[in-house]
RNA sequence: GCGGGCGUGGCGAAACUGGUAGACGCAAGGGACUUAAAAUCCCUCGGAGCAAUCCUUACGGGUUCGAUCCCCGUCGCCCGCACCA
């Protein structure tokens, strides 16, 4: 029978409303079934959702719907990472208040997300800028403070001397402020820090337990935490060269074995010794200034040319007091890592070698590879930083690097300088405490009060929340809280005298470090219901971009530990399973080049293939534009595709299906019009096949065939079910799609046959069983279409409430295997043989194959390799 | 600069991570149906060759009976680098 085309504009809102009315996706904390918490990283409300969001949320939704069908009590919430700089920028540029800008954006993005048909529990929604959320964050801050997990210290910020404001790293471009263009300076401010370093060892050790995280993320975190075992060594300053009051300098090294290769010490520009030396030497002072102008970003620092300046200070070599080494100030030595001072061994470290060559310092090889020759081993332009055997190192010669490490550590631990050992073994971490102070308005206020008499006083919990004042202006740079007429003036909670509120707000990473915990009971009057939070956590499957691999995830891991220590939850790790998805990328199109280059949006062009070459033309006027590289979708390059447009023309199911189908989820997906059309054709094809057969199937009870002509149909369906189930468990959406395509191809003949009124009851029952399995397999990806198919097959219960099908073991077993037969590694034949044939039987059968006899040409086989169930290789 | 990752037909990819390289989809070409178009259906489709066959997983080496997969080196692209989110 002829049926109408599937119309997503009709079906999608209809099913969304039905799900909504039946509250299918609202989660009950009291539901006794096994829990499953699936979460996608919540979005920043920038205004519109983009394809990256569609991909992220489509993946999470497949998992949520699949797990729900498998019988889990699924929690799948959504919220908004709503504090941050863009809202303040909008306020400055367009005069809109950050709050109204943010809420408008949330409204439009929410309606876009709703149009996607996501199985979200919207009753738990919140935005981090809601006082109902951030007041609890202030509560947590106070608990952390009480527990000693928060402290203040001096720390550097990027300062724009023209705008008189603090700049984020991304606002510093080539060392200048992004708006003023002024050279950025570093300024010291007293700021709040979370003691993430209290957990350095635990955060490192527990990575082992996160076996459902990608190895690359664990490795990145491990390197970020950066545990090293080394030695602090105190160098005595040669008195005649010492600035007043200075007698020694302490370095941290992981390579004390190379001490005889030392040719200089390098200290950070902020090192106290550097400051003393600079005070008496204008050239040094100028150099330190130059170092400070680099901004606070490590990347900028390390890509800059390595520079240093001799301070004139000399230190005594710890193993030979007659040997003096120069002390340099160097722009690549950081005050916050180790002791802010290093010794340079040019032969064993590339950076030290470059430095030594530049400033004419000695290069003495002290380690050579095990098989090297000490007489001829030299260092040219490449340092040798590997393990090996000590040379040119007096009493260390001939020892391995490991042995030398121990010898030096032992000797220096036993040598006294003053009354203290000159060397001390030390475990060091690269991880630094988390600075959370931001000199900005649009963030969570830090709940403390500064009193001249009492010092820093926490806001009492009964006085929470500390609300952001709404009446602020953005007509000048800087933090509006600082210049607000009344907000900051407050009575000291301790002594009652006039005092001042802290005007810094919290880093927005704080907001996103516990939102997943708040989702478990967002209605609570305290940060969490500890029992509920403990039951829901950890998040079983967390999905988001790889760009968050380090900071967001590490901060969340810290926060969960800190909340545990303060009694808000009793789990250690927030995310059991982590999946990092790739980006959505698109071709770029442009006119002109260089500074007059003009980017063109994909919606404004058409692509033609002329003599095998793809060319792009403007829709308006037909001018040819050049096709550029494929890049991350961005506003500046205009290579964005608005999900709204796609949903309007093809429907949400097509958009969802496409972003899941083409590429492996962890890899980037290239958005292409042709690909979307292909996905759309699939949805139409599925609808046509099912709906045409539905009249014949609706009255038949589904039943898989155990024999007869329908057996292969049932086998195909049940094998696909088993395979796709596994794909969904592993988040291999693209593989699931390929298998579903295959099943559709297999079923198209039988469905057409049934639609034509052919086939007996047993046949129809098998086809209906297979068709239902097919519909249930696609349901997590294209839920609206699946509901429509499900209903047309005669089912009265919603598919969203239907349990996942169970495959029949008897239909998925294989009795025979097809073994490829290789001769000298090249495939020459195939052998079909019983699955449990032993090695001998396989060998005999293979040698009887015509193709093998021909190919061997009468030669005797030298060796026959039989890999059970896999392959046979004959070596001739 | 440092840390992490990726690279397979015209394109997105698959290959149960040492065992048939290119499943499935897109694009393209041919055919059927149609007055015509759309839609749909069928066939072809990595390269060379009439063929047998040979070549082919960024590039260059290595280990192995056998390498997309493991090892060494080179190139290109992407992510992060602590105040973007």
């Amino acid at each position: 029978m002829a049926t109408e085309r599937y119309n997503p504009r009709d079906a999608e809102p209809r099913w969304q409303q039905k799900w909504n009315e039946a509250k299918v996706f609202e989660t009950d904390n009291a539901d006794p079934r096994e829990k499953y918490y699936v979460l996608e990283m919540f979005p920043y409300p920038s205004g519109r959702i983009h394809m990256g969001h569609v991909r992220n949320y489509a993946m999470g939704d497949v998992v949520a719907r699949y797990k729900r069908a498998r019988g889990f009590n699924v929690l799948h919430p959504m919220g908004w990472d709503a504090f941050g700089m863009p809202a303040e920028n909008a306020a400055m540029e367009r005069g809109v208040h950050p709050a109204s800008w943010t809420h408008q954006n949330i409204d439009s993005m929410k309606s876009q997300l709703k149009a996607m048909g996501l199985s979200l529990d919207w009753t738990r929604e919140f935005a981090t800028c809601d006082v109902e959320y951030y007041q609890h964050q202030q509560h947590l801050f106070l608990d952390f403070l009480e527990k000693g997990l928060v402290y203040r210290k001096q720390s550097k910020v990027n300062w724009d001397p023209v705008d008189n404001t603090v700049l984020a790293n991304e606002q510093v471009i080539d060392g200048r402020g992004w708006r003023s263009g002024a050279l950025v300076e570093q300024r010291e401010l007293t700021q709040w820090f979370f003691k993430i370093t209290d957990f350095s060892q635990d955060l490192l050790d527990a990575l082992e337990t996160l076996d459902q995280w990608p190895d690359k993320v664990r490795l990145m975190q491990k390197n970020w935490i950066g545990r090293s075992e080394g030695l602090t060594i105190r160098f005595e300053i040669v008195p005649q060269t010492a600035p007043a009051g200075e007698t020694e300098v302490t370095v941290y090294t992981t390579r004390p074995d190379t001490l005889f290769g030392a040719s200089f010490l390098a200290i950070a520009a902020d090192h106290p010794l550097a400051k003393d030396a600079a005070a008496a030497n204008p050239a040094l002072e100028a150099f330190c200034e130059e170092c400070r102008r680099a901004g606070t970003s490590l990347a900028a620092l390390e890509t800059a040319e390595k520079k240093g300046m001799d301070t004139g200070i000399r230190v005594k070599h710890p193993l030979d007091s007659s040997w003096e080494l120069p002390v340099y100030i160097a722009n690549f030595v950081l005050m916050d890592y180790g002791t802010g001072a290093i010794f340079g061994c040019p032969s064993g470290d590339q950076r030290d070698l470059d430095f030594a060559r530049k400033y004419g310092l000695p290069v003495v090889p002290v380690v050579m590879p095990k098989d090297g020759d000490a007489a001829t081993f030299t260092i040219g332009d490449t340092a040798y930083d590997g393990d090996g055997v000590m040379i040119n190192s007096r009493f260390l010669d001939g020892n391995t690097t490991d042995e030398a490490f121990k010898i030096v550590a032992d000797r220096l631990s036993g040598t006294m300088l003053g009354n203290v050992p000159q060397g001390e073994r030390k475990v060091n971490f690269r991880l630094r405490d988390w600075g959370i102070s931001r000199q900005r308005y649009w963030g969570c206020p830090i709940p403390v009060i500064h009193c001249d008499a009492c010092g820093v006083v926490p806001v009492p919990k009964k006085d929470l929340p500390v609300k952001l004042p709404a009446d602020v202006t953005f007509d000048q740079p800087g933090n509006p809280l600082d210049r607000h007429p009344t907000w900051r003036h407050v009575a000291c909670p301790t002594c009652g005298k006039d005092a001042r509120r802290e005007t810094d707000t919290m880093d927005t990473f704080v907001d996103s470090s516990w939102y997943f915990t708040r989702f478990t009971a967002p209605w609570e009057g305290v940060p969490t219901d500890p029992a509920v939070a403990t039951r829901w956590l950890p998040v079983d499957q967390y999905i988001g971009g790889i760009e968050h691999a380090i900071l967001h995830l590490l901060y969340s891991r810290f926060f969960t530990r800190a909340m545990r220590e303060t009694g808000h939850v009793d789990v250690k790790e927030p995310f059991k399973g982590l999946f990092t998805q790739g980006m959505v990328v698109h071709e770029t199109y442009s006119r002109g080049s260089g500074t007059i280059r003009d980017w063109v949006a994909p919606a404004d062009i058409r692509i033609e293939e002329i003599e095998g070459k793809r060319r792009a033309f403007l829709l308006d006027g037909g001018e040819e534009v050049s096709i550029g590289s494929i890049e991350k979708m961005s506003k500046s390059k205009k290579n964005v595709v608005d999900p709204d447009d796609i949903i309007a023309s093809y429907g949400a199911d097509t958009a969802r299906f496409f972003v899941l189908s083409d590429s492996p989820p962890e890899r980037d997906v290239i958005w292409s019009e042709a690909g979307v059309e292909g996905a759309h054709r699939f949805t139409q094809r599925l609808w046509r096949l099912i709906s045409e057969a539905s009249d014949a199937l609706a009255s038949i009870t589904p039943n898989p065939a155990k024999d007869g002509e329908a057996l292969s149909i049932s086998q195909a369906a049940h094998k696909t079910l088993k395979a796709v189930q596994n794909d969904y468990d592993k988040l291999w959406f693209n593989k699931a799609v390929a298998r579903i395509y295959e099943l559709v191809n297999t079923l198209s003949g039988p469905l057409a046959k049934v639609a034509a009124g052919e086939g007996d009851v047993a046949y129809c029952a098998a086809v209906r069983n297979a068709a239902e399995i097919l519909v249930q397999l696609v349901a997590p990806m294209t839920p609206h279409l699946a509901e429509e198919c499900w209903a047309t097959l005669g089912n009265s219960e919603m598919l969203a409430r239907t349990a996942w099908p169970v495959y029949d073991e008897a239909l998925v077993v294989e009795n025979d295997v097809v073994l490829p037969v290789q001769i000298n590694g090249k495939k020459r034949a195939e052998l079909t043989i019983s699955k449990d044939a032993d090695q001998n039987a396989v060998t005999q059968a293979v040698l009887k194959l015509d193709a093998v006899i021909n190919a061997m040409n009468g030669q005797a086989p030298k060796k026959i390799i039989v890999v059970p169930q896999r392959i046979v290789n004959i070596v001739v």
Side-chain angles (χ1 to χ4, degrees):
Chain A
M1 75 172 253
T3 56
E4 284 180 29
R5 278 170 67 81
Y6 173 68
N7 182 3
R9 270 177 296 251
D10 163 60
E12 292 184 352
R14 188 155 38 77
W15 284 108
Q16 284 163 20
Q17 197 186 339
K18 286 192 188 189
W19 295 329
N20 202 27
E21 281 164 5
K23 301 182 191 293
V24 185
F25 306 127
E26 290 181 20
T27 304
D28 179 3
N29 280 352
D31 190 319
R33 292 175 301 165
E34 190 179 343
K35 67 98 183 180
Y36 193 90
Y37 188 178
V38 53
L39 185 69
E40 303 93 59
M41 291 179 186
F42 67 163
Y44 179 79
S46 55
R48 316 278 301 159
I49 64 167
H50 52 70
M51 279 302 163
H53 292 125
V54 173
R55 193 177 191 207
N56 191 194
Y57 302 134
M59 288 179 191
D61 203 45
V62 171
V63 175
R65 286 176 180 270
Y66 169 66
K67 290 291 178 182
R68 191 173 286 112
R70 299 292 309 253
F72 290 90
N73 183 31
V74 171
L75 176 59
H76 187 210
M78 180 58 71
W80 307 94
D81 190 11
F83 274 137
M85 290 202 306
E88 290 195 36
N89 293 338
M92 276 184 271
E93 282 156 18
R94 276 170 274 162
V96 278
H97 193 280
S100 57
W101 183 85
T102 303
H103 282 112
Q104 273 169 25
N105 287 347
I106 288 174
D107 287 346
S108 55
M109 289 176 75
K110 187 173 171 182
S111 70
Q112 289 184 298
L113 288 185
K114 289 213 162 181
M116 282 183 66
L118 302 170
S119 63
L120 292 165
D121 181 353
W122 283 105
T123 66
R124 296 174 188 245
E125 175 196 9
F126 58 78
T128 56
C129 65
D130 298 339
V131 67
E132 290 75 27
Y133 179 75
Y134 73 70
Q135 63 175 328
H136 300 298
Q137 193 160 301
Q138 294 174 336
H139 181 134
L140 293 174
F141 178 94
L142 295 173
D143 284 352
F144 292 1
L145 186 63
E146 200 173 316
K147 200 80 181 170
L149 293 168
V150 188
Y151 68 102
R152 294 175 91 207
K153 73 170 177 187
Q154 291 265 304
S155 157
K156 285 181 291 195
V157 294
N158 301 307
W159 180 257
D160 185 321
V162 169
D163 276 353
N164 284 315
T165 188
V166 177
L167 298 176
N169 282 338
E170 71 157 11
Q171 297 173 321
V172 179
I173 296 154
D174 295 331
R176 291 172 184 275
W178 65 335
R179 289 185 205 279
S180 69
L183 274 176
V184 167
E185 298 167 2
Q186 291 182 2
R187 258 206 191 183
E188 295 260 330
L189 293 180
T190 302
Q191 309 201 63
W192 289 97
F193 284 80
F194 284 152
K195 285 188 86 179
I196 189 172
T197 55
D198 273 9
F199 300 90
S200 298
Q201 189 68 51
D202 188 43
L203 287 167
L204 177 66
D205 293 343
L207 287 172
E208 299 281 320
T209 67
L210 298 174
D211 55 356
Q212 291 176 46
W213 281 37
D215 287 341
K216 63 177 171 187
V217 174
R218 292 197 282 176
L219 187 55
M220 280 191 261
Q221 292 217 348
K222 183 182 172 204
N223 291 338
W224 185 262
I225 294 167
R227 184 184 198 274
S228 64
E229 292 182 12
L231 210 62
T232 52
I233 303 174
R234 296 183 305 124
F235 283 71
E236 186 184 355
I237 299 176
V238 177
Q240 303 88 307
T241 67
E246 300 283 0
T247 55
E248 59 180 64
V249 53
T250 307
V251 307
Y252 175 74
T253 178
T254 57
R255 292 297 302 271
D257 49 301
T258 64
L259 205 47
F260 284 110
S263 55
F264 63 96
L265 255 59
I267 59 176
D270 296 313
H271 195 280
L273 189 59
K275 289 182 178 169
D276 284 346
N281 181 339
L284 278 179
E285 180 60 40
F287 181 72
C288 290
E289 269 309 305
E290 189 191 326
C291 292
R292 285 189 199 108
R293 260 199 297 278
T296 59
S297 135
L298 186 59
L301 209 64
E302 294 213 351
T303 41
E305 191 194 346
K306 308 290 177 286
K307 282 185 194 168
M309 187 176 271
D310 191 345
T311 57
I313 299 167
R314 296 293 176 268
V315 293
K316 293 182 180 174
H317 194 284
L319 298 171
D320 177 355
S321 62
S322 68
W323 180 359
E324 294 185 0
L325 298 167
V327 178
Y328 279 71
I329 296 174
N331 65 351
F332 56 85
V333 179
L334 302 172
M335 197 56 221
D336 355 327
Y337 183 77
T339 59
I342 60 159
F343 80 79
C345 172
S347 62
D349 181 283
Q350 192 60 44
R351 195 172 57 182
D352 293 348
L353 180 62
D354 295 341
F355 192 84
R357 295 289 187 221
K358 186 166 180 173
Y359 296 104
L361 296 161
V363 178
V364 179
V366 285
V367 179
M368 67 169 186
K370 278 211 164 54
D371 48 5
D373 174 8
T376 58
F377 185 72
T378 54
I379 294 289
D381 292 332
T382 310
Y384 178 73
D385 61 4
D387 289 340
V389 182
M390 305 311 301
I391 52 174
N392 302 322
S393 294
R394 308 187 193 180
F395 58 88
L396 298 174
D397 282 352
N399 284 294
T400 66
T401 39
D402 283 347
E403 288 159 356
F405 184 114
K406 286 193 197 82
I407 295 167
V408 172
D410 290 347
R411 180 182 283 229
L412 291 180
S413 304
T415 310
M416 292 300 178
L417 183 63
N419 284 319
V420 188
Q422 188 161 16
E424 200 180 338
R425 281 176 186 268
K426 175 130 196 284
V427 172
N428 196 50
F429 293 92
R430 204 186 76 102
L431 182 66
R432 309 199 298 255
D433 277 332
W434 175 13
I436 60 151
S437 295
R438 297 291 180 273
Q439 296 69 40
R440 276 179 241 293
Y441 167 75
W442 196 231
C444 172
I446 294 174
V448 296
I449 291 165
H450 299 275
C451 172
D452 288 337
C454 311
V456 176
V457 183
V459 173
K461 278 189 193 154
K462 65 174 173 54
D463 292 344
L464 292 183
V466 178
K467 278 194 200 170
L468 279 177
D471 53 334
V472 285
T473 55
F474 292 90
D475 49 354
Q476 47 183 300
N479 183 354
L481 295 177
D482 274 337
R483 51 174 193 265
H484 191 280
T486 55
W487 184 78
R488 59 181 309 193
H489 302 294
V490 65
C492 171
T494 310
C495 69
K497 287 191 200 130
D498 285 351
R500 300 168 311 283
R501 284 195 189 285
E502 171 76 57
T503 56
D504 283 354
T505 53
M506 293 185 210
D507 179 7
T508 58
F509 270 123
V510 181
D511 311 337
S512 54
S513 291
W514 73 287
Y515 75 107
F516 45 86
T517 310
R518 183 69 189 165
F519 276 140
T520 63
W523 43 77
E524 282 297 317
V526 286
T528 67
D529 176 333
V532 168
T534 302
R535 188 146 41 80
W536 277 113
L537 290 180
V539 173
D540 294 275
Q541 186 62 61
Y542 195 39
I543 307 177
I546 184 71
E547 66 272 21
H548 295 294
I550 297 175
L551 291 181
H552 163 59
L553 293 169
L554 196 60
Y555 290 153
S556 298
R557 295 181 64 217
F558 157 72
F559 224 82
T560 304
R561 285 165 169 75
M563 285 177 74
R564 185 175 184 232
E565 296 216 337
T566 47
H568 295 285
V569 65
D570 193 20
V571 297
K572 214 156 109 175
E573 287 294 339
F575 311 120
K576 183 165 175 229
L578 172 71
F579 189 85
T580 55
Q581 107 261 5
M583 294 181 297
V584 180
V585 294
H586 197 289
E587 264 181 349
T588 50
Y589 312 100
S590 60
R591 297 192 291 184
S593 61
T595 49
I596 56 155
R597 187 174 211 174
D598 188 15
W599 300 96
V600 181
D604 297 333
I605 56 126
R606 70 191 148 81
I607 301 276
E608 272 182 45
E609 192 158 309
I610 298 166
E611 287 162 6
K613 193 168 181 280
R614 291 176 73 251
R615 295 166 70 178
F617 301 91
L618 280 181
L619 282 175
D620 184 18
E623 185 193 338
E624 180 161 10
V625 297
S626 53
I627 300 181
S629 60
I630 292 168
E631 296 186 39
K632 180 175 174 172
M633 286 190 179
S634 72
K635 278 184 193 155
S636 61
K637 302 246 170 96
K638 288 196 183 164
N639 60 338
V640 289
V641 174
D642 192 331
D644 265 5
D645 295 346
I646 302 302
I647 291 173
S649 38
Y650 299 101
D653 283 339
T654 294
R656 295 167 56 121
F657 192 71
F658 174 66
V659 292
L660 294 170
S661 65
D662 242 24
S663 291
E666 69 280 5
R667 221 186 277 183
D668 291 349
V669 65
I670 300 176
W671 183 272
S672 73
E673 199 61 23
V676 181
E677 277 167 18
H680 189 243
R681 261 200 304 278
F682 170 80
T683 62
Q684 291 295 344
R685 182 173 183 221
L686 182 65
W687 168 250
R688 190 163 20 80
L689 288 169
I690 299 283
S691 62
E692 285 178 358
S694 63
D695 275 0
L697 294 179
S699 58
I700 304 272
T701 307
N703 190 29
K706 294 292 165 61
D707 48 35
E709 68 165 323
L711 175 64
S712 63
I713 296 170
S714 295
Q715 283 176 326
H718 285 247
K719 278 182 189 168
T720 305
L721 169 57
K722 183 180 180 183
V724 169
Q725 213 169 285
N726 180 50
D727 293 337
Y728 282 158
D729 283 331
K730 304 249 170 64
L731 282 69
W732 292 341
F733 309 113
N734 59 320
K735 295 185 198 178
V737 167
R739 284 189 232 280
I740 287 168
Y741 270 117
E742 280 179 289
L743 182 59
V744 171
N745 290 341
T746 309
L747 293 184
S748 64
L751 281 165
K753 191 171 161 184
V754 167
E758 295 163 29
D760 57 16
V761 173
Y763 188 85
C764 288
V767 171
R768 174 156 175 184
N769 171 254
E772 291 200 347
I773 286 173
L774 171 62
V775 169
Q776 290 186 279
L777 290 179
V778 295
M781 294 189 280
T782 60
H784 314 84
L785 171 70
E787 290 280 9
E788 201 73 3
C789 292
W790 189 248
T792 204
L793 280 170
N795 295 293
S796 52
E797 176 66 292
M798 263 184 229
L799 186 49
R801 290 205 150 140
T802 303
W804 192 251
V806 179
Y807 64 83
D808 183 334
E809 199 63 57
L811 290 168
V812 299
V813 293
E814 298 276 4
N815 295 319
D816 290 342
V817 284
V818 178
L819 293 180
V821 179
Q822 295 183 331
I823 293 171
N824 290 337
K826 294 270 179 201
K827 188 198 164 193
R828 286 292 127 98
E830 270 180 1
L831 172 71
T832 305
I833 196 163
S834 159
K835 195 177 137 205
D836 28 58
D838 63 20
Q839 191 147 337
N840 215 1
V842 171
T843 309
Q844 294 308 315
V846 159
L847 291 173
K848 284 189 190 123
L849 290 171
D850 287 345
V852 172
I853 294 165
N854 289 339
M856 300 212 332
N857 211 2
Q859 300 169 80
K862 210 154 132 197
K863 190 173 172 189
I864 298 178
I865 297 149
V866 178
V867 184
Q869 323 260 329
R870 279 284 158 82
I871 203 166
V872 181
N873 190 13
I874 304 171
V875 185
V876 187

